[in-house]
Amino acid sequence: MEKPSSERMKDPISKNRLEFLFDGIFAIAMTILVLELKVPELEDRHSVGELWRKLSHHAPAFISYLLSFVMLGNFWHHHNRHFRHFRRITLGMLGLSFVQMASAAFFPFCAALMGRYPTNPLSTAIYIGCVMVYMLASMFLWLTAEKADAFTRDLAPAEYRKARRQNLIVCTIITLMFGLYLMNALIH
Amino acid sequence: MEKPSSERMKDPISKNRLEFLFDGIFAIAMTILVLELKVPELEDRHSVGELWRKLSHHAPAFISYLLSFVMLGNFWHHHNRHFRHFRRITLGMLGLSFVQMASAAFFPFCAALMGRYPTNPLSTAIYIGCVMVYMLASMFLWLTAEKADAFTRDLAPAEYRKARRQNLIVCTIITLMFGLYLMNALIH
Amino acid sequence: MEKPSSERMKDPISKNRLEFLFDGIFAIAMTILVLELKVPELEDRHSVGELWRKLSHHAPAFISYLLSFVMLGNFWHHHNRHFRHFRRITLGMLGLSFVQMASAAFFPFCAALMGRYPTNPLSTAIYIGCVMVYMLASMFLWLTAEKADAFTRDLAPAEYRKARRQNLIVCTIITLMFGLYLMNALIH
Amino acid sequence: MEKPSSERMKDPISKNRLEFLFDGIFAIAMTILVLELKVPELEDRHSVGELWRKLSHHAPAFISYLLSFVMLGNFWHHHNRHFRHFRRITLGMLGLSFVQMASAAFFPFCAALMGRYPTNPLSTAIYIGCVMVYMLASMFLWLTAEKADAFTRDLAPAEYRKARRQNLIVCTIITLMFGLYLMNALIH
C-alpha cells in the first residue's frame, strides 16, 4: 500500500487510491444493478402462477441484469490486467480514468433502459454507446500511458503492442456496432 | 498489498483486487437490503398504534432482512476462510468468483421477494435457488483451485478434503431443498 | 496488509478483511441515508417560495440525515479506536461484529422513519433501540475480546478498564433512554 | 497499511482507515448519482421518437449527473493530493473530514434537485451551498493541520502556502457565488 516516501511525492496521484476508487465504483455499479429489478404487485399473494407470469413478463430485465453484470465483470478484469503495468498516473490518465468510471457508474441506467424497452432501437443504441465510451477511454488511456512513459519496465514492447492492437480491434467493432444501431434507431 | 514484481507478472489476476471487489460487493449487498424496507404511510402521524400495526404487517420483510444479512455474513465468513488458501487466481476461478458475486448481488432482490410474499412457494424457491447457485459456485471454485494447483503450500491435504466434503454435503442439502421447494411450487 | 504466513493460518478470520467489510458497510450506510431525501414535486417549477416551503416541510428529514451521519461517524470513530487493540478475531467476536454491522446497515431505515414521523414516540423508540443494539454489541465485543485474550500487548490494563467503564456508562444511559421512550410509546 | 505498532498507539485515528472511508463514500456518492435518472414511461414501447423526446425532456438531469460526477472527481483528486501530506489525524481534522464526507454524501440530493429544477434559483443556491461547505471544510482542514503540526516533513513551506492561497481563492469565489445565487433566490 505504501510506496517509499520519496517516490510518493513525485506522483501527482496515488495509484493505489485510484485503483481503490475504481474497484469501489465497479463493486457498487455491479450491485445496484439489482435495484432496477422490482418485486411485482400480486393480486393473489399465494399464487405461484401469477408470480411466475409477472416475473417472466420482466424476463428482459433479468437478462439485462446478467448481461450487464458480465459486461462490468469483464471490464474490471481487463482493467485489472492493464492497470498493473502503470507505474504512475498522470493527469491525463486520471481524466481518462474518470471517463471510464463515469460510464461504468452510468451502466445501471443503461441496463434499466434496455431491460425495460429491449425492442426499442434507441435503448440498445444508448447501451452500446455507453460500452463504446468506456472502451474508447480504455484505449486512449493505454496510448496516453505510452506517451507519458508511465509503463513499468516489465511490460515488453511486444506485449504492449498486442494490447494496443486488441484495444483497437474491439473499439472499431463496438464503434461500428454503435453506428449501425444508431442508424437503425434514426431510420426507425 | 504488493507482491514481488516478478510474481505479479505471472498471475493473470490480482488476488488482492479480487478480494477487494468481493468484499465491496458483499458490503453493498448487505447494506442495500435495507432499501427494501419502506417507511409506511400513516393517516395519523402521531399514532403509535397505527405505526406499530403497519410495521408489524411488514414483519416478514424485517425477518427476511435479518435472515439475508446473516446468510451473506455467513457466506462472507466462509469465503474469508477459504480464499486465503489460494496463492493465485486462474481465469476459471475468476469466472466462478463472478458467479458468486452475481448471486450475492442478486440477494437483495430475493430478500425483497421473500419479504413481500413469504407464503408464496415460488418466492421461497427463488430464494433457495440463489443460495444454491452461490454454494455450487463455491464448491466448483474449490475443485477448480485444486486442478489448477492454486493452493498455498500450508493447506494440508486432510484440510482440503475436509473442506471439499463439507462443501459437498452443504451443496447436496441445498440442492435437495431447492428441488423440494420447486416441486412444491409447481404442484401448487 | 499481509501478516506472516504462519500467523495467518492460525486466525480463523482475517482482521484486515473484517475491518474492510466494516468500513465498507459504514461508508455505504452513511451515503444511502441521502436516498431518503426526496426531491419535492412543484406546481410552479420556477417558484423559489414553493420549493422553500416544501423543503422546509421536510426539515425533520434533513435533521435526521445530519444526526444519523454524525451518529454513524461517531460509531466509526470509536470502532477505529478500539479495533486496533485486537490482535485476532475469534468466532464470537465475528458474530458480535455482524450485530454491529447489521444495526449500522439498518440505520438508514431508522433515519427515514424518524425523519418522516419525528413526533411519533414509536419511531424515536426504534431509532434509539437501533443505537442501543449497536452499543451493546460494542460492549460485549470488548468483553469477549478480553475473555479470548485477543488484545495486543500494548493495551495497558488501565486503558482497557477505562474503555470498559465508558462502554458500560454509555450502554446504561442508552438502555434507560430506550426504556423511557418505549414506555412513552406504550402509554401513548 | 500497517504502521509500526509503537507509532500506531499514539495516533487517535488510523489515517489509512479514514482514507478508506473517504474513498468509499466518494465511490458510492459518484455511483448513486445514477439512481436519480429514471427510465421514462412510454406509451409505445417500440417508438424511438417517444423515448428520445422523453429522455431529452430530462436533459438537465443528465447534465447535472455529468457535472456532479466531474465535481466529485475533482474533489477526490484534490483530497488525494493534499491528504498525503498529513502524517497524523487529530480529532479536529477528523471532524472536518466528516463535514467533507457529509457534504459529498449529500451531493446526490443536490444533483437530483438541480437536475429536476434547473431554472429554480433556490436549487442552484443549494447546490452551490453544498460545494461551498465542502470547500470551506477543505480549507479549514488545511489550516487545522498546520496548527496541529500534522504535516509530513516533505511538504515545503512554499508548497504549503501555495495550497493555502489556492484554497482561499477558491473558497472566496464560491462563497461570493453562493451569496449571489442566494440573493437572487431571495429577491425572486
Side-chain angles (χ1 to χ4, degrees):
Chain A
M1 203 77 175
E2 295 293 340
K3 289 183 280 174
S5 171
S6 63
E7 189 190 332
R8 214 169 51 189
M9 287 308 297
K10 278 181 297 182
D11 302 355
I13 301 122
S14 154
K15 186 183 157 186
N16 276 311
R17 283 187 68 185
L18 182 57
E19 204 170 71
F20 181 96
L21 192 73
F22 190 94
D23 287 355
I25 285 181
F26 266 72
I28 301 153
M30 286 162 96
T31 321
I32 62 175
L33 286 173
V34 83
L35 296 180
E36 304 298 342
L37 305 174
K38 304 288 179 208
V39 173
E41 295 290 331
L42 299 188
E43 270 158 51
D44 173 8
R45 302 171 59 81
H46 307 280
S47 161
V48 167
E50 194 188 351
L51 182 55
W52 175 251
R53 252 192 329 275
K54 294 213 167 148
L55 285 180
S56 54
H57 189 72
H58 292 293
F62 291 95
I63 293 165
S64 171
Y65 169 79
L66 262 184
L67 176 70
S68 305
F69 201 93
V70 168
M71 212 72 148
L72 285 172
N74 203 27
F75 287 170
W76 182 85
H77 174 212
H78 278 91
H79 188 268
N80 193 307
R81 296 192 68 164
H82 288 170
F83 207 72
R84 67 177 60 192
H85 294 302
F86 301 148
R87 63 184 169 84
R88 63 192 184 96
I89 307 292
T90 64
L91 262 180
M93 289 164 75
L94 183 69
L96 288 164
S97 291
F98 274 119
V99 176
Q100 284 186 308
M101 289 190 263
S103 47
F106 193 64
F107 235 71
F109 175 77
C110 300
L113 199 65
M114 181 120 126
R116 188 78 166 280
Y117 305 115
T119 53
N120 193 311
L122 185 56
S123 60
T124 323
I126 289 171
Y127 193 95
I128 295 178
C130 184
V131 174
M132 184 186 66
V133 169
Y134 182 90
M135 292 298 203
L136 287 172
S138 277
M139 190 182 67
F140 283 113
L141 183 61
W142 197 242
L143 298 174
T144 307
E146 195 204 9
K147 270 197 201 145
D149 185 27
F151 287 115
T152 55
R153 298 289 163 243
D154 49 12
L155 181 69
E159 272 186 272
Y160 164 77
R161 280 194 301 269
K162 194 180 152 206
R164 192 179 57 180
R165 203 167 47 237
Q166 281 178 347
N167 269 333
L168 199 66
I169 292 169
V170 173
C171 282
T172 310
I173 293 172
I174 198 87
T175 308
L176 287 175
M177 272 176 75
F178 177 65
L180 261 170
Y181 275 88
L182 196 66
M183 258 173 48
N184 185 22
L186 289 176
I187 62 169
H188 206 73
Chain B
M1 204 77 176
E2 294 293 340
K3 288 184 280 176
S5 170
S6 62
E7 189 189 332
R8 214 167 52 186
M9 287 308 298
K10 278 181 297 180
D11 301 357
I13 301 122
S14 154
K15 186 184 158 189
N16 276 311
R17 282 186 68 183
L18 183 57
E19 205 170 70
F20 181 96
L21 192 72
F22 191 94
D23 287 355
I25 285 180
F26 265 72
I28 300 153
M30 286 162 96
T31 320
I32 62 175
L33 285 173
V34 83
L35 296 180
E36 304 298 342
L37 305 175
K38 303 287 179 208
V39 173
E41 294 290 331
L42 298 188
E43 271 158 49
D44 173 8
R45 302 171 59 82
H46 306 280
S47 163
V48 167
E50 194 188 353
L51 181 55
W52 175 252
R53 254 194 325 279
K54 293 212 166 147
L55 286 180
S56 55
H57 189 72
H58 292 293
F62 291 94
I63 294 166
S64 170
Y65 169 80
L66 261 183
L67 177 70
S68 306
F69 200 94
V70 168
M71 213 72 150
L72 285 172
N74 203 29
F75 287 170
W76 182 86
H77 175 212
H78 277 91
H79 187 267
N80 193 306
R81 296 192 68 164
H82 288 169
F83 207 72
R84 67 176 60 188
H85 294 302
F86 301 149
R87 64 186 167 83
R88 62 191 185 96
I89 308 292
T90 64
L91 261 181
M93 289 164 75
L94 183 69
L96 287 164
S97 290
F98 274 118
V99 176
Q100 285 186 308
M101 289 190 262
S103 46
F106 193 64
F107 235 72
F109 176 76
C110 300
L113 199 64
M114 181 119 126
R116 187 80 166 280
Y117 306 115
T119 53
N120 193 311
L122 185 57
S123 61
T124 322
I126 289 171
Y127 193 96
I128 296 177
C130 184
V131 175
M132 184 186 68
V133 169
Y134 182 90
M135 293 296 203
L136 288 172
S138 277
M139 189 180 69
F140 283 113
L141 183 60
W142 198 244
L143 298 174
T144 307
E146 194 204 10
K147 269 196 200 146
D149 186 26
F151 287 115
T152 55
R153 297 290 163 243
D154 49 12
L155 181 69
E159 272 186 274
Y160 164 75
R161 280 194 302 270
K162 194 181 151 205
R164 193 179 56 181
R165 202 165 50 236
Q166 281 177 347
N167 269 334
L168 198 66
I169 293 170
V170 173
C171 282
T172 311
I173 293 173
I174 198 86
T175 308
L176 287 176
M177 273 176 72
F178 177 65
L180 261 170
Y181 276 88
L182 196 65
M183 258 173 49
N184 185 22
L186 290 175
I187 62 169
H188 207 73
Chain C
M1 205 78 176
E2 293 294 339
K3 289 183 280 174
S5 172
S6 61
E7 189 190 332
R8 214 168 51 185
M9 288 309 296
K10 279 182 295 182
D11 301 355
I13 300 121
S14 154
K15 185 184 157 187
N16 276 312
R17 283 187 68 185
L18 183 56
E19 205 170 71
F20 181 95
L21 191 72
F22 191 94
D23 287 354
I25 285 181
F26 265 72
I28 301 152
M30 287 162 94
T31 320
I32 62 175
L33 286 173
V34 84
L35 296 181
E36 303 299 341
L37 305 175
K38 304 287 178 208
V39 173
E41 294 290 330
L42 299 188
E43 272 159 49
D44 173 8
R45 302 171 59 82
H46 306 281
S47 162
V48 168
E50 195 188 351
L51 181 56
W52 175 251
R53 254 193 325 280
K54 293 213 167 145
L55 285 180
S56 55
H57 189 73
H58 291 293
F62 291 94
I63 294 166
S64 171
Y65 169 78
L66 261 183
L67 177 70
S68 305
F69 200 94
V70 168
M71 212 71 148
L72 285 172
N74 204 28
F75 287 170
W76 182 85
H77 175 212
H78 278 91
H79 188 267
N80 193 305
R81 297 191 68 166
H82 288 170
F83 207 72
R84 68 176 62 191
H85 295 301
F86 302 149
R87 65 184 168 83
R88 62 193 185 95
I89 308 292
T90 64
L91 261 181
M93 288 163 75
L94 183 69
L96 287 164
S97 290
F98 274 118
V99 176
Q100 285 186 308
M101 288 190 264
S103 45
F106 193 64
F107 235 72
F109 176 76
C110 299
L113 199 64
M114 181 119 126
R116 188 78 166 281
Y117 305 116
T119 53
N120 193 311
L122 185 58
S123 61
T124 323
I126 289 171
Y127 192 97
I128 295 177
C130 185
V131 175
M132 186 185 67
V133 169
Y134 182 90
M135 292 297 203
L136 288 172
S138 277
M139 189 181 68
F140 282 113
L141 183 61
W142 198 245
L143 298 174
T144 308
E146 194 203 11
K147 269 196 198 145
D149 186 26
F151 287 115
T152 54
R153 296 292 162 241
D154 49 12
L155 180 69
E159 272 187 273
Y160 164 75
R161 279 193 302 269
K162 194 180 151 205
R164 192 179 57 182
R165 201 166 49 236
Q166 281 178 346
N167 269 333
L168 199 67
I169 292 169
V170 172
C171 282
T172 311
I173 292 172
I174 198 87
T175 309
L176 287 175
M177 273 176 73
F178 177 65
L180 261 168
Y181 275 87
L182 196 65
M183 258 173 49
N184 184 22
L186 289 176
I187 62 171
H188 206 73
Chain D
M1 204 76 176
E2 294 293 340
K3 288 182 281 174
S5 173
S6 63
E7 190 190 331
R8 214 167 52 186
M9 288 307 298
K10 279 183 295 182
D11 301 355
I13 301 121
S14 153
K15 185 184 157 188
N16 276 310
R17 284 187 66 185
L18 183 57
E19 205 169 71
F20 181 96
L21 191 72
F22 190 94
D23 287 355
I25 285 181
F26 266 72
I28 301 153
M30 285 162 96
T31 322
I32 62 175
L33 286 173
V34 83
L35 296 181
E36 304 299 342
L37 305 174
K38 305 286 178 210
V39 173
E41 294 291 330
L42 299 187
E43 270 158 53
D44 173 8
R45 303 171 59 82
H46 307 280
S47 162
V48 167
E50 194 188 352
L51 181 54
W52 175 252
R53 253 193 326 278
K54 294 213 167 148
L55 285 180
S56 55
H57 189 73
H58 292 293
F62 291 94
I63 294 166
S64 171
Y65 169 79
L66 261 184
L67 176 70
S68 305
F69 201 94
V70 168
M71 213 71 149
L72 285 171
N74 204 29
F75 288 170
W76 181 86
H77 175 212
H78 278 90
H79 188 267
N80 193 306
R81 296 191 68 164
H82 289 169
F83 206 72
R84 69 175 60 190
H85 294 302
F86 301 149
R87 63 183 169 84
R88 64 192 183 96
I89 308 291
T90 63
L91 261 180
M93 288 163 76
L94 183 69
L96 287 164
S97 291
F98 274 118
V99 176
Q100 285 186 309
M101 289 190 263
S103 45
F106 193 64
F107 235 72
F109 175 76
C110 299
L113 200 63
M114 181 118 127
R116 189 77 166 282
Y117 305 116
T119 53
N120 193 311
L122 185 57
S123 62
T124 322
I126 289 171
Y127 193 96
I128 295 178
C130 185
V131 175
M132 184 186 68
V133 169
Y134 183 89
M135 293 296 202
L136 288 172
S138 277
M139 188 181 68
F140 282 113
L141 183 60
W142 198 244
L143 298 175
T144 308
E146 195 205 9
K147 270 197 198 144
D149 186 28
F151 287 116
T152 54
R153 296 293 162 239
D154 49 12
L155 180 68
E159 272 187 272
Y160 165 75
R161 279 194 303 269
K162 194 182 151 204
R164 192 180 56 183
R165 201 165 49 236
Q166 282 177 346
N167 269 333
L168 199 67
I169 292 169
V170 173
C171 282
T172 309
I173 293 172
I174 198 87
T175 308
L176 287 176
M177 274 176 73
F178 177 65
L180 261 169
Y181 276 87
L182 197 65
M183 258 173 50
N184 184 23
L186 289 177
I187 61 169
H188 206 75

